[in-house]
């Protein structure tokens, strides 16, 4: 520790305006900074004036007392790498800067140790910014003396313990409080209601628990409140409706239960409401339609029941509506079509019934519609949807049957289309030949039959194709050679027959394939050697086919392979050592074949079951080979 004596001040530095007590405190602070990557404190020299030349120090010219300390704040806030590496602890001598109004030590994870209780002596302090460090220990109870504080930022540290209830009793001027991303415990004290000037409350990921105090309703000036990612339980207090100035409310990722209070409709300025991933139940209140400024509504991953209230259609500015993963029932209200600004509609994983309302076709700005995993019945896709450029249209796992389509729907602009398990029967849907910009197509788990049409080769934007678990019957079509953007082909559990083209791995369309899934088809012949030329291949599944011959050594050239499933075939010969020892290989199964010889040394994480039912195989992890 550097001790500054009066003789130093009264000697050759007699003309300095820097107060001796303040200089001593600053030099002690400097002595505890073990490394200063930007050299911010290099100007802090005893023989110079702290008020004139010390970086980040500002004094009151009338008395020479330090009023602002921000040594790690960059001169140019727009410059890159402003907060260079620094290490050190906080000096208790900072408590001697009794005229200090701003202490800004936001320092990019540089400061460690506890927060000195002496900081509670800074009764003139208005700004205390210690966020983004590695400070530990508890929040000092002495902070109760900081009655002039307007901003308290302790977020992104390693603070522990409870929030002292006394510190909020006299902070009548506090407008911003941030304790996010710490390891606190206990509940949010009811004294929070004393912060009558508070506008911004950041308590995300603090490990807080218990009920949210009804005193929260006293914070009438709040515009932003984040209580997300904690362990809050019980109900959302009815008093929350008193926060009439609130614009953003985040209470997601807690353990809140009970109903959404009807009072929530009083928050007429709210633009963002996130209550997802709780245990909220009961109906969605009709009052939700009164929040006319709402742009984002997230209520997913709860236990909400009953119908979607018709009043939702009054939210004319709504852009994101996510009610997925609840227990909502009834039909989709036609008022949904009044949400002209809507971009994302997620109602998947509920118990919704009935047909799609025609009004949904009014949502021409829609980017994503997810209605999967409901009980929506047969009905037409509204023709107006052809005017929208939809990124994602998911109708999977609904008993839609044969979709009725208007002529204009043949030109549907969609990026990702999922109609899996919707009961589609018959030949491959002809209307798909007219769609544009499809990149991901999922028609799996239906009752499609017949051949895969030749026009499939015209959808040149296609990146993934999943037509597994159908009754399609033909050879693997050559039209795949036109699909140069393909990355995933999943044809498993159909009736594809014949042999796999021996040159499949040499085709340009196979250049970017990372998953080739052909299992559970009556495919015969041998495994093409050319598959080893598919440099991006990660998944190869050819189980339960009728393959014969040897496993090609060349498969070992596909160095990105992570998963190889070749079980339940009639393969013979030995296992290629290079294939079994690929660096990325995680899953491997060649069981129930006619393989023979010694299993090559390999990654021990592959279980013995992966080699079982091959009478000629031996060696680790199977029993040892018998010597001749």
């Amino acid at each position: 520790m550097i001790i500054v004596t009066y003789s130093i001040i009264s000697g050759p530095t007699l003309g300095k305006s820097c107060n001796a007590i303040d200089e001593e405190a600053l030099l002690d602070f400097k002595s505890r900074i073990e490394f200063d990557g930007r050299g911010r404190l290099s100007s802090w020299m005893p023989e110079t004036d702290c008020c004139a030349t010390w970086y980040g120090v500002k004094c009151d010219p009338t008395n020479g007392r330090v009023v602002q300390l921000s040594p790690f704040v960059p001169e140019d806030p727009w410059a890159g790498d402003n907060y260079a590496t620094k290490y050190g602890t906080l000096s208790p001598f900072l408590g001697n800067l009794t005229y200090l109004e701003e202490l800004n030590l936001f320092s990019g994870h540089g400061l460690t140790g506890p927060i000195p209780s002496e900081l509670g002596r800074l009764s003139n302090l208005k700004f205390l910014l210690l966020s983004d460090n590695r400070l530990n220990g508890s929040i000092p109870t002495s902070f109760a003396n900081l009655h002039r504080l307007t901003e308290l930022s302790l977020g992104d540290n390693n603070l522990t313990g409870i929030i002292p209830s006394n510190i909020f009793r006299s902070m009548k001027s506090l407008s911003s409080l941030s304790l996010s991303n710490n390891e606190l415990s206990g509940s949010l004290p009811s004294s929070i209601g004393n912060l009558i000037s508070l506008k911004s409350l950041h308590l995300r990921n603090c490990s807080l628990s218990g009920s949210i105090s009804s005193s929260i309703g006293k914070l009438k000036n709040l515009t932003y409140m984040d209580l997300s990612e904690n362990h809050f339980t019980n109900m959302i207090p009815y008093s929350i409706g008193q926060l009439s100035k609130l614009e953003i409310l985040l209470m997601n990722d807690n353990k809140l239960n009970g109903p959404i209070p009807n009072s929530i409709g009083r928050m007429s300025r709210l633009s963002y409401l996130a209550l997802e991933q709780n245990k909220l139940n009961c109906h969605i209140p009709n009052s939700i339609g009164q929040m006319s400024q709402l742009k984002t509504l997230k209520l997913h991953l709860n236990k909400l029941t009953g119908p979607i209230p018709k009043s939702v259609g009054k939210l004319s500015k709504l852009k994101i509506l996510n009610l997925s993963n609840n227990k909502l029932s009834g039909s989709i209200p036609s008022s949904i079509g009044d949400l002209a600004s809507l971009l994302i509609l997620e109602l998947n994983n509920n118990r919704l019934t009935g047909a799609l309302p025609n009004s949904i076709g009014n949502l021409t700005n829609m980017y994503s519609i997810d209605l999967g995993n409901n009980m929506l019945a047969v009905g037409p896709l509204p023709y107006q949807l052809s005017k929208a450029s939809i990124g994602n249209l998911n109708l999977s796992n609904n008993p839609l049957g044969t979709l009725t389509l208007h002529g204009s729907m043949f030109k549907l602009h969609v990026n990702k289309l999922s109609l899996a398990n919707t009961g589609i029967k018959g030949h491959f849907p002809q209307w798909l030949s007219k769609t544009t910009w499809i990149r991901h197509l999922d028609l799996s788990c239906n009752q499609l039959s017949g051949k895969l049409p030749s026009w499939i080769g015209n959808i040149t934007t296609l990146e993934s194709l999943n037509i597994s678990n159908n009754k399609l019957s033909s050879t693997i079509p050559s039209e795949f050679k036109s699909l140069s953007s393909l990355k995933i082909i999943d044809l498993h559990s159909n009736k594809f027959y014949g042999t796999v083209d021996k040159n499949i791995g040499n085709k340009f369309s196979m250049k970017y394939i990372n998953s080739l899934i052909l299992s559970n088809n009556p495919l015969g012949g041998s495994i093409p050697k050319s598959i080893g030329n598919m440099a991006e291949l990660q998944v190869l599944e050819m189980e339960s086919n009728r393959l014969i011959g040897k496993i090609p050594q060349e498969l070992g050239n596909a160095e990105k392979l992570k998963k190889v499933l070749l079980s339940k075939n009639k393969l013979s010969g030995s296992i290629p050592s290079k294939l079994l020892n690929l660096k990325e290989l995680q899953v491997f199964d060649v069981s129930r074949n006619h393989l023979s010889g010694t299993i090559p040394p390999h990654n021990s994480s592959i279980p013995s079951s992966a080699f079982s039912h091959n009478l000629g195989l031996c060696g680790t992890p199977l029993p040892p080979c018998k010597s001749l």
Side-chain angles (χ1 to χ4, degrees):
M1 179 185 299
I2 298 177
I3 304 297
V4 179
T5 64
Y6 182 77
S7 60
I8 295 178
I9 301 300
S10 60
T13 55
L14 188 60
K16 292 195 300 181
S17 62
C18 183
N19 181 273
I21 296 175
D22 291 356
E23 182 178 35
E24 178 185 35
L26 294 175
L27 289 175
D28 188 80
F29 170 79
K30 177 183 178 180
S31 72
R32 296 169 191 259
I33 302 301
E34 300 169 15
F35 179 75
D36 177 16
R38 285 286 188 186
R40 305 286 193 194
L41 305 183
S42 60
S43 61
W44 291 23
M45 302 301 293
E47 63 273 12
T48 59
D49 188 345
C50 75
C51 294
T53 61
W54 289 19
Y55 184 89
V57 177
K58 183 178 180 181
C59 299
D60 183 337
T62 62
N63 58 20
R65 300 304 300 265
V66 174
V67 294
Q68 180 179 328
L69 179 59
S70 51
F72 304 126
V73 175
E75 292 178 298
D76 180 5
W78 300 105
D81 190 29
N82 287 318
Y83 297 98
T85 303
K86 60 192 71 67
Y87 307 109
T89 57
L90 289 177
S91 168
F93 276 54
L94 291 174
N96 293 336
L97 302 174
T98 51
Y99 283 75
L100 198 63
E101 297 179 6
E102 178 179 338
L103 177 59
N104 186 347
L105 298 178
F106 174 98
S107 64
H109 308 294
L111 300 176
T112 60
I115 300 174
S117 61
E118 287 81 357
L119 295 188
R121 294 166 52 192
L122 303 177
S123 58
N124 288 301
L125 206 60
K126 296 179 180 179
F127 302 92
L128 177 55
L129 312 177
L130 303 178
S131 59
D132 200 21
N133 283 290
R134 291 177 292 165
L135 299 170
N136 54 39
S138 59
I139 299 172
T141 57
S142 62
F143 279 9
N145 300 322
L146 305 179
H147 58 278
R148 295 185 181 180
L149 212 58
T150 61
E151 184 172 352
L152 175 60
S153 180
L154 306 178
D156 296 284
N157 279 291
N158 299 321
L159 299 175
T160 56
I162 64 170
I163 300 174
S165 60
N166 70 315
I167 68 170
F168 297 145
R169 289 177 183 167
S170 60
M171 291 184 179
K172 305 294 184 181
S173 300
L174 196 67
S175 64
S176 178
L177 172 63
S178 176
L179 303 177
S180 294
N181 298 308
N182 278 291
E183 301 170 17
L184 302 173
S185 58
S187 60
L188 180 63
S190 60
S191 59
I192 190 79
N194 294 331
L195 306 181
I196 56 176
S197 299
L198 202 63
K199 294 181 179 180
S200 180
L201 176 60
H202 301 256
L203 297 177
R204 180 173 66 89
N205 189 29
C206 289
S207 298
L208 296 174
S209 58
S211 301
I212 298 174
S213 173
S214 60
S215 67
I216 205 85
K218 297 179 180 180
L219 307 180
K220 302 290 181 65
N221 288 300
L222 266 187
T223 60
Y224 181 100
M225 180 162 69
D226 187 353
L227 305 181
S228 65
E229 299 180 39
N230 283 287
H231 307 295
F232 289 119
T233 56
N234 297 326
M235 296 189 293
I236 299 172
Y238 191 85
S239 63
I240 201 165
Q242 299 173 22
L243 305 180
S244 58
K245 294 182 181 181
L246 201 62
E247 297 176 6
I248 296 177
L249 174 58
L250 309 174
M251 301 176 77
N252 53 285
D253 294 86
N254 279 287
K255 299 177 182 179
L256 297 168
N257 54 46
I260 298 172
N262 193 55
S263 63
I264 204 165
R266 299 176 188 171
M267 294 190 287
S268 58
R269 296 187 186 182
L270 205 64
S271 65
Y272 195 111
L273 175 59
L275 300 177
E276 74 269 18
Q277 205 152 334
N278 280 287
K279 298 180 180 181
L280 299 171
N281 49 44
C282 299
H283 293 193
I284 300 172
N286 285 321
S287 64
I288 209 153
Q290 299 172 19
M291 295 188 286
S292 58
Q293 301 302 310
L294 206 58
K295 295 180 180 179
T296 298
L297 176 57
K298 294 183 176 183
L299 303 179
H300 54 285
L301 292 164
N302 278 289
K303 298 179 180 181
L304 297 169
T305 59
I308 299 172
K310 295 179 181 179
S311 62
V312 166
K314 297 179 181 180
L315 304 177
S316 59
K317 295 184 179 181
L318 201 63
K319 294 184 178 182
I320 298 174
L321 175 59
N322 192 341
L323 306 179
S324 65
N325 294 280
N326 279 289
K327 298 179 180 180
L328 299 173
S329 57
S331 58
I332 299 173
S334 59
S335 61
I336 287 284
D338 297 332
L339 303 178
S341 300
L342 203 62
L343 301 176
I344 297 175
L345 175 63
E346 298 190 24
L347 304 178
N348 50 296
N349 294 295
N350 278 290
R351 300 171 181 175
L352 300 172
T353 57
L356 304 182
N358 286 330
S359 63
I360 206 170
N362 299 333
L363 307 178
T364 54
N365 292 317
M366 189 70 68
Y367 176 76
S368 178
I369 304 176
D370 194 342
L371 307 178
N373 293 292
N374 279 288
M375 294 179 281
L376 297 171
V378 176
L381 286 178
Y383 70 91
Q384 294 97 326
L385 281 180
S386 63
K387 301 176 183 179
S389 296
I390 301 174
N392 172 40
L393 177 57
N394 180 17
L395 301 174
S396 62
N397 297 302
N398 282 289
L400 296 172
T402 303
L403 291 173
T404 304
L405 295 161
H406 297 277
S408 60
M409 282 298 290
F410 291 165
K411 295 183 180 180
L412 178 68
H413 293 264
V414 63
N415 182 353
K416 183 178 181 180
L417 177 62
S418 180
L419 299 174
N421 193 28
T422 53
I424 300 176
K425 301 179 181 179
H427 293 288
F428 210 81
Q430 177 67 29
W431 59 271
L432 283 169
S433 65
K434 303 295 183 180
T435 55
T436 56
W437 300 109
I438 288 186
R439 295 171 61 189
H440 307 278
L441 177 60
D442 187 353
L443 295 173
S444 63
C445 301
N446 281 295
Q447 300 178 50
L448 295 173
S449 58
K451 295 183 178 181
L452 197 62
S454 59
W455 50 257
I456 195 76
N458 297 332
I459 311 178
T460 55
T461 54
L462 204 59
E463 293 183 13
S464 69
L465 175 65
N466 187 349
I467 52 175
S468 63
N469 288 286
N470 278 286
K471 299 177 181 179
L472 295 166
S473 177
S474 67
T475 57
I476 295 178
S478 60
E479 283 75 19
F480 281 142
K481 67 183 180 182
S482 303
L483 304 178
S484 57
S485 298
L486 265 181
K487 296 179 181 179
I488 298 174
I489 301 176
D490 191 345
L491 310 182
H492 83 268
S493 300
N494 277 284
K495 297 181 180 180
F496 290 107
Y497 56 85
T499 60
V500 181
D501 186 345
K502 67 177 182 180
N503 292 315
I504 185 172
N506 299 327
K507 296 181 182 299
F508 181 75
S509 59
M510 298 291 110
K511 183 177 180 180
Y512 300 109
I513 292 288
N514 60 52
S515 293
L516 179 61
I517 304 174
L518 306 175
S519 299
N520 292 293
N521 283 288
L523 293 168
S526 58
I527 300 173
K529 297 179 181 179
S530 63
I531 289 178
N533 297 329
M534 299 169 66
E536 299 298 319
L537 192 64
Q538 297 179 27
V539 176
L540 175 63
E541 297 187 22
M542 301 180 76
E543 291 185 299
S544 298
N545 292 308
R546 299 176 182 176
L547 301 173
I548 59 174
K550 297 182 177 182
I551 301 174
Q553 296 277 353
E554 288 79 2
L555 287 187
N557 296 331
E559 296 181 350
K560 293 186 178 182
L561 274 172
K562 295 181 179 179
K563 185 177 185 180
V564 176
L565 302 181
L566 303 176
S567 65
K568 299 178 184 178
N569 283 289
K570 298 180 181 180
L571 298 170
S572 58
S574 60
I575 300 173
S577 176
K578 187 175 181 180
L579 172 63
L580 196 55
N581 286 282
L582 288 173
K583 291 182 179 179
E584 301 293 329
L585 194 64
Q586 299 172 8
V587 180
F588 183 81
D589 194 342
V590 292
S591 63
R592 298 182 183 275
N593 278 287
H594 300 155
L595 299 171
S596 60
T598 304
I599 299 172
H602 62 280
N603 187 336
S604 61
S605 65
I606 298 175
S608 60
S609 59
F611 306 98
S612 65
H613 296 87
N614 286 280
L615 296 179
L617 277 183
C618 57
T620 306
L622 297 181
C625 300
K626 296 180 180 180
S627 57
L628 296 177

